[in-house]
Amino acid sequence: MKRIVVLLLVVLALWPGERIVAQDTPVRAVMTGSAFVYVIRSGDTLRTIGARFGVSASALVALGVKRPGPPAEGDWFFVDNRHIAVLDDRAQITINLAQRMLYFADGDALSSYPVAAGMRKWPTPVGAFTVVDKETNPTWDVPLSIQHEMRQQGRRVVTQVLPSPQNPLGAHWIRLSFASIGIHGTTAPASIYSFASHGCIRMHPDDVAQLFERVGVGMTGAMTYQPVLIAMIDDRVYLEAHPDVYRRAPAPMTAVREWSERGGFAELVDWRAAADVLRLQTGVPTDVTMNQRQFGEKS
């Protein structure tokens, strides 16, 4: 379990029309994850490494590999799976769909897990939710919409999948108050940290097993969609940007300027560096604090 210390309170609004908390409600901005060296094991690919640690394949490549070409056993990657978590203390579970990250708050400890969210044509809904049920070795009653998709694709239509190693829900199912939406395991762990589901939240089997033991029926949560996050942590300004897959976010630079002004740190931002982060969209928090020389020149 990763223990995370709350560093600073900032004020951030969610995307217009999708607020989980009031615009002026203080929320915690927390840096999760870490940077470390990962040695390639047999069977690893960029996709499986990124899925397990919550980092894009492009970011892995950008951070460097021991030699060019496909990863080979014994090679290494510098993995940076840090993320900015924007949390409301009233929600024990926060899922930022654009980040493909789930955060579970347990007192002063915060655990972070990469997830798969709904694909663009099957977007996961946003809003407040509660945990309404938990089940081990669930039976999957295939929704009519997915049965229709099977029929359109010329596949055999399946109405129910019993508990088995082939069940797409895996061994754990956490039902949420959204209709037909839950958090579950998967038989395709390489799909984690992507937009691949029909609306549900997929987790690595090991991660969902851990979460399953910690959540309880009645727990509260928030499903958000924030491709861009900016926060001041330990006197430094960090900016994290992801692609707007659902195409519902406002202009990134406009939002970042508004949030930094509301947080009271707009004057500390190196806006050229911020523009680069928004252009590259690596999903890795980047320090965009104006250095002392720049700040002095400006003033």
Side-chain angles (χ1 to χ4, degrees), residues 105-298:
D106 183 9
D108 291 334
L110 183 73
S111 298
S112 58
Y113 304 100
V115 302
M119 61 187 90
R120 185 182 168 198
K121 65 178 181 178
W122 295 84
T124 304
V126 299
F129 64 81
T130 56
V131 174
V132 298
D133 194 17
K134 294 169 57 180
E135 187 178 355
T136 55
N137 299 315
T139 293
W140 183 36
D141 295 312
V142 184
L144 292 176
S145 56
I146 298 181
Q147 292 182 37
H148 178 65
E149 181 187 59
M150 292 173 177
R151 194 173 294 110
Q152 283 187 320
Q153 295 176 349
R155 296 156 52 198
R156 182 173 68 89
V157 176
V158 177
T159 60
Q160 189 179 72
V161 180
L162 298 176
S164 72
Q166 289 72 47
N167 189 318
L169 300 184
H172 299 86
W173 167 252
I174 303 170
R175 186 182 300 279
L176 307 181
S177 51
F178 294 117
S180 302
I181 298 295
I183 302 169
H184 62 80
T186 180
T187 55
S191 69
I192 303 302
Y193 203 63
S194 69
F195 296 87
S197 79
H198 290 83
C200 283
I201 299 299
R202 293 181 191 171
M203 297 182 68
H204 187 279
D206 293 344
D207 291 345
V208 74
Q210 184 182 99
L211 182 68
F212 188 89
E213 295 301 318
R214 302 173 70 191
V215 303
V217 172
M219 273 191 178
T220 57
M223 201 85 73
T224 71
Y225 182 77
Q226 293 178 274
V228 176
L229 306 99
I230 188 168
M232 189 171 182
I233 299 173
D234 263 357
D235 298 323
R236 307 296 295 180
V237 181
Y238 292 91
L239 178 61
E240 178 178 339
H242 299 261
D244 179 15
V245 172
Y246 289 172
R247 298 186 181 177
R248 59 175 64 166
M253 183 58 80
T254 300
V256 167
R257 286 186 179 276
E258 178 186 343
W259 291 341
S260 60
E261 288 171 4
R262 188 176 294 147
F265 51 80
E267 291 297 315
L268 300 178
V269 178
D270 180 339
W271 292 106
R272 288 185 182 178
D276 287 340
V277 174
L278 296 178
R279 175 177 56 83
L280 295 173
Q281 298 180 337
T282 64
V284 177
T286 302
D287 189 338
V288 294
T289 314
M290 184 178 293
N291 64 41
Q292 292 300 314
R293 184 180 62 80
Q294 289 174 307
F295 189 78
E297 288 175 352
K298 184 174 181 180

Side-chain angles (χ1 to χ4, degrees), residues 56-139:
S56 68
S58 60
L60 285 173
V61 172
L63 288 170
V65 65
K66 194 173 182 180
R67 62 174 181 77
E73 189 172 359
D75 283 345
W76 57 266
F77 277 100
F78 183 72
V79 175
D80 185 348
N81 71 344
R82 294 174 304 150
H83 290 287
I84 299 171
V86 177
L87 310 169
D88 173 11
D89 284 331
R90 294 170 295 184
Q92 291 170 280
I93 305 168
T94 300
I95 303 171
N96 185 340
L97 302 172
Q99 275 185 313
R100 289 91 70 212
M101 293 296 298
L102 181 152
Y103 305 104
F104 179 75
D106 183 9
D108 291 334
L110 183 73
S111 298
S112 58
Y113 304 100
V115 302
M119 61 187 90
R120 185 182 168 198
K121 65 178 181 178
W122 295 84
T124 304
V126 299
F129 64 81
T130 56
V131 174
V132 298
D133 194 17
K134 294 169 57 180
E135 187 178 355
T136 55
N137 299 315
T139 293

